Every structure is written in structure tokens, then in C-alpha cells.
Amino acid sequence: MGLYPLVNIRIDTTRSGNPYGWMVDSTLRMMVTGIPLKGQDSVALASRGVFVNISPFAKDALVMIQQKPSDTTMKHHFELRHDSCFRMINQTPSAMITDKSGSENSYYLANRLSNGCLANWKPTGGTKDLMDQVSSAPGVLGLVSWSYLCERKSKLVKDRLNRMQIVPFVDSTSKPIFPSQSTIVTGEYPLTRTVYMVTSEPFAGPATGFAAWVASSEGQRVIRLFGGAPMRI
């Protein structure tokens, strides 16, 4: 029998809502989320005898995508106004969509945009539904996570990206800025967020050890090699 006789690994990307509420499950020792821990969540978990460790290990971003236009000379960009709204340049989208309600992308939008601007974005059935709508309908603007677009080995993602393009951000000097490892880590691309590894082990077990490795120089290098944006380059 080894030091850790039984380690169960479960990958669940279907849940929605506050992820910290899941940590009351005694079988859950680690999760990955782009939502920061709030004070009330920490107090609520402590009242249930759950104490978590938070390790920021990567950066992610929200990316605007659209079907590739037939007129390739028309350059589309977006900018962020002072009232926390997007303004599209050279186009008026027929629809602006994000993934399902309650997702981490929806959480980011709700905390990043003003209420008036947020109302312009309509939820879909999820990332797959969003990608299908964007790739099949010109004029539809979708918002997805950059990490999803970095799935280099996914034939499905590659096929869809061949029919779509990323809409860059335009800064105050009218310079187009695309999401990349560099612009996300430095914050030059604006729609960025930190990704956290959350553990809740009563001892230094496998989840704690894995979180420490991911945050190490070697773990950060692996994230970079796979196309992700580590906390540091």
C-alpha cells in the first residue's frame, strides 16, 4: 500500500453557480476556478469546518470571436468605454452571446460590465452552442475563454476556428491588441482574469503537492508550453 492508497479524480465542467459552495463535499479536495474567494465564502466554509488554500497559477481571458467576414479588408475591433461597455468599431453585431447563465464567463461579465451593457449579452446553452451559432451566422459576436481556444489538439476547436476570427481590442492609440500569452500576462489585453487552484486537505496530501508543483517554475513552464498563460513568463 502506498502513501496515498486511493485518490479519486473527477473532472466536472457542467456545474454552475458559486464554486466555493462545492468545497463542503468531503470527497472534493481540489478545484480550479477563475472566481476569486470572497470574505463571505471564506466565513461560510469555516463555519462548516472547511479551510481552503488558494494558489493563483495561471491567467485567462475572455475573447470576442465572429465568423470570418467575406470582405477581408474590413477590420473589426472593439474598445472599452469609460462606462465599462464595449463599443464595436466598423460593425454592428446582429447578436452578442456568451455561454450559459451561471458560468464563470457570465460571472466575469457581471462583475466587469455596467448593467446597461451587460443586458446586451444573451446566454446560450454553453460553449458548444455558442461556437455553433458564431460559426454559422455572420454578424453574431461571441465571448469565449481564451484557454478554450488554446485546445490545440482538439479537432473540433480547430475546425471551428478555421471559420472564425478573433476580434482584437483597440487601445487609446488605436493599436489593435490580440490576446496572447504575453498580452494576457502583462494585462495589455484588458479582459483578463486570474485562475486559482483551490485545495482543502487537512494534511499535505496529493492535491496540495500537485498545486505546489503547478505553481513552481517547472509547472509554469508546462502551462506555457501547452499554450496557456502562466502567472509569470
Side-chain angles (χ1 to χ4, degrees), residues 45-198:
L45 288 172
S47 69
R48 302 286 294 272
V50 178
F51 301 92
V52 298
N53 294 311
I54 312 293
S55 302
F57 73 95
K59 291 282 189 178
D60 195 10
L62 289 190
V63 178
M64 291 193 188
I65 56 174
Q66 64 178 13
Q67 188 185 82
K68 287 183 178 178
S70 56
D71 181 3
T72 58
T73 63
M74 181 65 73
K75 303 300 182 181
H76 297 162
H77 309 97
F78 78 91
E79 65 178 7
L80 285 173
R81 301 194 321 228
H82 293 298
D83 59 353
S84 296
C85 264
F86 298 120
R87 186 177 79 87
M88 300 305 299
I89 301 174
N90 295 335
Q91 71 167 320
T92 301
S94 59
M96 300 166 67
I97 58 176
T98 181
D99 59 2
K100 62 183 179 181
S101 298
S103 70
E104 295 200 1
N105 289 350
S106 296
Y107 174 90
Y108 180 91
L109 280 180
N111 287 271
R112 183 68 173 81
L113 304 180
S114 62
N115 290 335
C117 187
L118 184 63
N120 296 326
W121 292 88
K122 306 303 180 184
T124 61
T127 301
K128 181 180 181 301
D129 184 24
L130 181 148
M131 296 286 283
D132 288 340
Q133 290 189 44
V134 171
S135 62
S136 61
V140 174
L141 190 68
L143 203 61
V144 299
S145 65
W146 183 74
S147 56
Y148 176 80
L149 301 181
C150 290
E151 292 286 345
R152 296 175 176 177
K153 294 185 178 181
S154 171
K155 184 177 183 301
L156 181 63
V157 174
K158 286 183 177 180
D159 290 344
R160 286 172 172 163
L161 285 178
N162 286 334
R163 303 192 301 271
M164 292 180 284
Q165 69 178 15
I166 292 175
V167 180
F169 165 72
V170 174
D171 65 11
S172 58
T173 65
S174 297
K175 171 188 174 183
I177 300 173
F178 287 87
S180 67
Q181 289 177 322
S182 177
T183 60
I184 291 173
V185 170
T186 62
E188 188 178 6
Y189 184 81
L191 305 180
T192 60
R193 61 187 172 193
T194 300
V195 183
Y196 305 92
M197 192 167 288
V198 184

Side-chain angles (χ1 to χ4, degrees), residues 19 22 32 41 75 87 107 142 161 176 189 202 211 225 231-232:
W22 311 339
V32 174
D41 295 324
K75 303 300 182 181
R87 186 177 79 87
Y107 174 90
L161 285 178
Y189 184 81
L225 290 176
M231 284 298 294
R232 58 185 183 275

